[in-house]
Amino acid sequence: KIFSKDASMITKLFGNIDMIQNLHSLFHASLFEAYKHWSPETSCLGQSLSHSFTNFRKIYLDYCASYEAATQV
């Protein structure tokens, strides 16, 4: 209830943090699967990293773009 008066303040402070948390969860699951089936001949670790970092870049660019607004709260 503390922040119920100003939901926009939460958005300014935390931006798309739910998307970031979801992305990290998916990345963790992807790495875990790669680790479970890891062998030097068939490693898919690179695929996990490549796919995830493409998504990391977009989501973190959005997050960083809201920095100015967050510092004004």
Side-chain angles (χ1 to χ4, degrees), residues 17-31:
I17 200 74
D18 56 333
M19 293 174 70
I20 291 171
Q21 190 274 327
N22 185 51
L23 178 61
H24 281 272
S25 293
L26 293 172
F27 181 53
H28 177 264
S30 175
L31 287 177

Side-chain angles (χ1 to χ4, degrees), residues 29-40:
S30 175
L31 287 177
F32 184 71
E33 284 300 312
Y35 173 75
K36 279 186 355 186
H37 305 291
W38 189 84
S39 77

Side-chain angles (χ1 to χ4, degrees), residues 16-31 45-65:
N16 59 344
I17 200 74
D18 56 333
M19 293 174 70
I20 291 171
Q21 190 274 327
N22 185 51
L23 178 61
H24 281 272
S25 293
L26 293 172
F27 181 53
H28 177 264
S30 175
L31 287 177
L45 184 61
Q47 280 181 314
S48 295
L49 292 170
S50 176
H51 177 71
S52 294
F53 281 118
T54 299
N55 294 327
F56 273 103
R57 184 175 182 273
K58 188 213 179 305
I59 289 177
Y60 273 100
L61 281 173
D62 293 344
Y63 182 78
C64 292

